[in-house]
Amino acid sequence: MQDTTKNTGEAQMRPRARLVKLIGDELISDEPVALVELVKNAYDADASVVNVVFEGADPDSLDRIIVEDDGFGMCLDDILNKWLEPGTISKRGKEMTPKGRILQGAKGIGRFASARLAERLILESKMLDHPGVVIIIDWGVFDDDKYLEEVIVEWEEADPTSLPHGTRITLEGLRKNWNAKDFTLLHSRLGSLISPFNDVVDFDIHIAIPGNFTGHVTPPEIIMSPRYRLEGCLTDDGMFTGQIEIEGKDVHFCHDLRIRDKNTSVLCGPFMVEIRAWDRDTESLKPLADRFGQSVTKLRSTLNEYCGVGIYRDGFRVHPYGQKGEDWLNLDLRSRQNPSKNLANNQIVASIRIGRDRNPNVIDRSTREGLVINDEFKDLQQWFEHILNVLEGHRYKAKPRSNDVRADAAFFDGLDLKDEVQAAQKSLGPDHPVAKLMVQADKRVRDRAERIQEHLNRLLTLSGLGQMVDLVMHEIGAPLGKINRRIEIFENKLLPFVSGMPGSCHGSESKWFRDQVPSNIRDIKEWCEQINLLRDRLDTQTPAKRGKATAFDVREEIANTLDLFSMLIDRQKIVVKCDIPTEPFMVKMSRASLGQVMSNLVDNALYWLTKHHGKGSGGLLQIDLDPLPSGFKIIVADNGPGISEEDKERIFDSYYTTKPAGMGLGLYVARLAMDSYGKLLCSDNCDQPGACFEAIFERSIGR
């Protein structure tokens, strides 16, 4: 046999010097992030203060940036064998600094931040009882074709000026011209870097910018003065304990509040949370603007810079969560779905506190690039949304109306009394009783206009949905008929063939035909029948038929509603008890109206039964039909969590909901559907311990 072996040998990878700059550009997204990384290095060095100083005679073209800390510093051996070793393992396996701080950087890549910022680095460092060290790196030489091993770094032992211990990094030949927007972004990044939970103590950040800002980095005053505030913690078993403040005084305490379905696992692990929220309309922000001596526009601009939901791992923010424009929870989309209740991303400044020990499966991609999008991360998102919903419910109760009135809505122009109010104040004086009455009247009119506008917008949306239902009901018939005809053809052709297959036909394909074809055809026919039933069920809800009075048996409509929800009922293993007459109970009314009432009540009961008992863990739904002298009454009750007294006052209000993703329209629409026939009540007169609703039909029902 001919030997085909060729020459063999060994080789080494020889990285080019430009790899250093490439790493800095790829791992560090922008210049403010690069400076944040240097500040975090100071924290890891057990510094108590770090100064970030911009120097230069021309503010528009700065000469250098200095980052100086009073940490434990580095000796010559640290510089040569650790700092100059990219990807060093010196921190690997370590979790704590000598002071007991949890290390923020352990990958040995933070130093590349300086390559992103400037052409030249001068690093001065001093440890107690060690000579000082100075090294100079010209990052420009890393741009040419040299190999990394060929780059020479100058060093010398010398005590840094006015630095008893710590590290001073001087960056010269800045790679970009910093402007006011960059400084604002840097200040907001540094101001939100440290957790608001006081995890980080004895560590201050100072910044000095020529002609711009000098001093201790702290969030602006408005960030510390929210109108609504929630803080608390989620436990391993999914219970939330905390408190909610409205304007700093109306305090509501939550103790072991279940905010998701019973037995729902906390995959992400326990965490603490703080949410600060504001209403951004002029009327709400004006008192804050007056208090801080700023304009409403300036306050909104500040909120825009600091708004968002940050994640803090062991005291420091995980980039990019909480960064301006980073709506990683899709809060804006959620707010658009229910603007009256749900908070948008630019209305909140929130902090989620996690830790490596408490949340081991919420994994860092790196300390600079966010978290791995796994099941635990998605679970964290869902839990936070449910906690946010708790605050939103209390906010809605305190301010149950929309502040977003369309300025171009000509229909409402006649309801604006602003000119009349100004004229009265100018003519009579602002303190005149008539002028004050005009102000109060204007406020009442605007409040009503906002509510009407909100209703109009929702009705327009529902009208569009109704037209879509009409279109779908019309168009779905043709393809559904074709599917049924094709199934008949397959049934007529395949079933005789399968049943006539001789027993001598063996093999996996023959067995599959015998076992699967008949059952699959039956399943497909049943599914098509379910679609037909659903189509018939929805057909009465189309605009053309919704208000039409027809004669029907109430018992059939109750049965149809239960059929509509049969899959959910079976999946949850809910027991349904019905107490209804054995004889037909005929009425003449809009069948769609009764169906709408029943559907909303049953859907509401199924949601809360699942939440209270846990997914697939049962529950009891009771439906009673009782004849009345002039009509009938339907009772829908359950053994779920029930309804609190304070919620009973608002449960039929439009857009009020305690469901995290709810629209707040179900019970409101059900009550509207009842207006022509009687009344819908939240009752205590039931055998079940949960929610109880009575739908009393006493007029216009043909009896």
Side-chain angles (χ1 to χ4, degrees), residues 607-625:
Y607 173 87
W608 290 109
L609 284 172
T610 302
K611 181 179 177 65
H612 183 66
H613 295 283
K615 291 184 179 179
S617 298
L620 176 64
L621 174 64
Q622 181 174 332
I623 299 178
D624 299 341
L625 172 59

Side-chain angles (χ1 to χ4, degrees), residues 27-47:
L27 290 181
I28 310 298
S29 58
D30 58 32
E31 284 74 14
V33 168
L35 277 174
V36 166
E37 292 306 318
L38 296 179
V39 169
K40 289 164 73 173
N41 283 347
Y43 177 81
D44 283 350
D46 276 341

Side-chain angles (χ1 to χ4, degrees), residues 236 264-270 359 361-362 375-377 379-380 383:
D236 278 313
T264 301
S265 300
V266 185
L267 301 179
C268 62
N359 316 92
N361 295 320
V362 182
D375 290 342
E376 288 77 12
F377 177 81
D379 190 56
L380 179 69
W383 280 109

Side-chain angles (χ1 to χ4, degrees), residues 515-534:
D515 296 344
Q516 298 295 325
V517 169
S519 62
N520 279 338
I521 288 178
R522 285 195 303 270
D523 289 344
I524 294 173
K525 289 178 67 177
E526 289 180 4
W527 295 333
C528 288
E529 181 61 26
Q530 289 179 12
I531 296 175
N532 271 318
L533 289 173
L534 180 60

Side-chain angles (χ1 to χ4, degrees), residues 293-478:
Q294 298 182 12
S295 66
V296 170
T297 301
K298 175 62 177 175
L299 293 187
R300 289 197 184 111
S301 177
T302 302
L303 288 177
N304 290 340
E305 290 295 330
Y306 281 82
C307 68
V309 181
I311 298 178
Y312 290 81
R313 165 88 73 180
D314 297 316
F316 278 79
R317 186 165 68 88
V318 180
H319 182 76
Y321 310 112
Q323 179 179 320
K324 179 182 178 182
E326 179 63 30
D327 186 15
W328 60 282
L329 289 157
N330 291 319
L331 297 182
D332 288 340
L333 174 61
R334 184 171 170 272
S335 176
R336 285 193 292 270
Q337 293 172 345
N338 191 349
S340 300
K341 175 178 175 290
N342 294 343
L343 289 159
N345 192 59
N346 68 355
Q347 290 180 266
I348 69 174
V349 176
S351 309
I352 300 173
R353 177 189 181 189
I354 62 176
R356 292 180 179 89
D357 56 341
R358 300 184 306 276
N359 316 92
N361 295 320
V362 182
I363 306 167
D364 292 321
R365 289 179 179 169
S366 77
T367 55
R368 298 147 183 85
E369 294 301 326
L371 302 170
V372 175
I373 310 299
N374 55 15
D375 290 342
E376 288 77 12
F377 177 81
K378 295 175 182 178
D379 190 56
L380 179 69
Q381 291 179 299
Q382 293 176 11
W383 280 109
F384 176 82
E385 182 177 326
H386 281 75
I387 293 173
L388 177 62
N389 181 64
V390 175
L391 176 62
E392 289 169 334
H394 286 272
R395 169 180 174 263
Y396 186 89
K397 294 172 187 176
K399 189 181 179 66
R401 61 181 178 83
S402 171
N403 295 301
D404 185 17
V405 185
R406 283 177 12 195
D408 59 344
F411 181 78
F412 296 92
D413 284 349
L415 300 179
D416 186 355
L417 303 180
K418 180 176 61 178
D419 293 339
E420 288 81 357
V421 170
Q422 291 179 349
Q425 289 178 329
K426 183 177 180 181
S427 175
L428 303 174
D431 296 328
H432 194 280
V434 175
K436 291 182 178 180
L437 285 175
M438 287 290 292
V439 172
Q440 296 172 4
D442 177 50
K443 185 178 185 304
R444 287 197 301 270
V445 169
R446 282 189 289 110
D447 288 346
R448 286 297 178 185
E450 291 170 359
R451 294 296 298 273
I452 294 171
Q453 177 69 73
E454 190 173 299
H455 283 287
L456 179 61
N457 290 340
R458 294 291 185 171
L459 289 173
L460 290 173
T461 301
L462 293 175
S463 175
L465 290 175
Q467 294 174 358
M468 186 179 297
V469 170
D470 261 344
L471 177 63
V472 170
M473 298 311 300
H474 179 269
E475 296 297 328
I476 200 174

Side-chain angles (χ1 to χ4, degrees), residues 554-555 558 579-581 585 623-627 632-634:
V554 175
R555 302 178 310 158
I558 293 175
D579 184 5
I580 60 178
F585 195 91
I623 299 178
D624 299 341
L625 172 59
D626 298 327
F632 63 96
K633 176 174 67 174
I634 295 178

